[in-house]
């Protein structure tokens, strides 16, 4: 079985993330969307909340499941028989960062990374920017799934 992981903080998932998950699901037999806890990033949503939103928004993809992990991504790949990491690239600055991680992960374990060009419609999107806009009461419809938009509104009811 060809199994890939789409790792990320997903705090929260954007339509750009979900586009990559959908496209990866067409290339692999199984795709695990793994919520990785990045110790450098302060989360808005709990890991459980992120997973629940991801489960709801990928429910139409029969070969996609959602999981979480607190350790090194390569250890998760080893423990789950995953040979490939699939990620999206929005820009050249993404490429610098992603290439470095891909090389580190390959050096650590031999796991391959597939860097997929983002749908340009979503090139400007990041979880951080979406959260900032939502903090001030901006409308993020079309940038995130409606469920995520509603959860953001619930986090910032007074904005
Ligand atoms: O959505 P993000 O925050 O850009 O995702 C980054 C993430 C979580 C995929 C990356 O930080 C990661 O893989 N973290 C797990 C810990 C790890 O393996 N670090 C070494 C990376 S080379």
């Amino acid at each position: 079985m060809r199994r890939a992981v789409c790792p990320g903080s997903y705090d929260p998932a954007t339509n750009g993330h979900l586009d990559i998950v959908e496209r990866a699901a067409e290339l692999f037999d199984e795709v695990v969307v793994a919520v990785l806890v990045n110790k450098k990033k302060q989360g808005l949503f709990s890991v459980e909340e992120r997973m629940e939103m991801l489960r709801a928004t990928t429910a139409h993809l029969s070969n996609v499941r959602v999981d979480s992990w607190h350790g090194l991504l390569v250890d998760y790949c080893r423990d789950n028989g995953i040979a490939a990491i699939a990620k999206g690239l929005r820009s050249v600055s993404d490429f610098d960062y992603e290439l470095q991680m891909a090389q580190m992960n390959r050096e650590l374990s031999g796991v391959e990374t597939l860097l997929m060009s983002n749908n340009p419609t979503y090139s400007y999107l990041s979880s951080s920017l979406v959260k900032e806009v939502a903090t001030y009461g901006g409308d993020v419809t079309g940038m995130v799934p409606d469920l995520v938009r509603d959860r953001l509104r619930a986090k910032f009811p007074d904005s």
Side-chain angles (χ1 to χ4, degrees), residues 40-53:
K40 291 183 209 151
K41 286 189 186 173
Q42 175 70 32
L44 172 65
F45 292 97
S46 70
V47 172
E48 276 309 316
E49 286 175 313
R50 296 178 215 179
M51 290 176 71
E52 189 236 313
M53 289 187 279

Side-chain angles (χ1 to χ4, degrees), residues 47 57 112:
V47 172
T57 51
E112 295 288 357

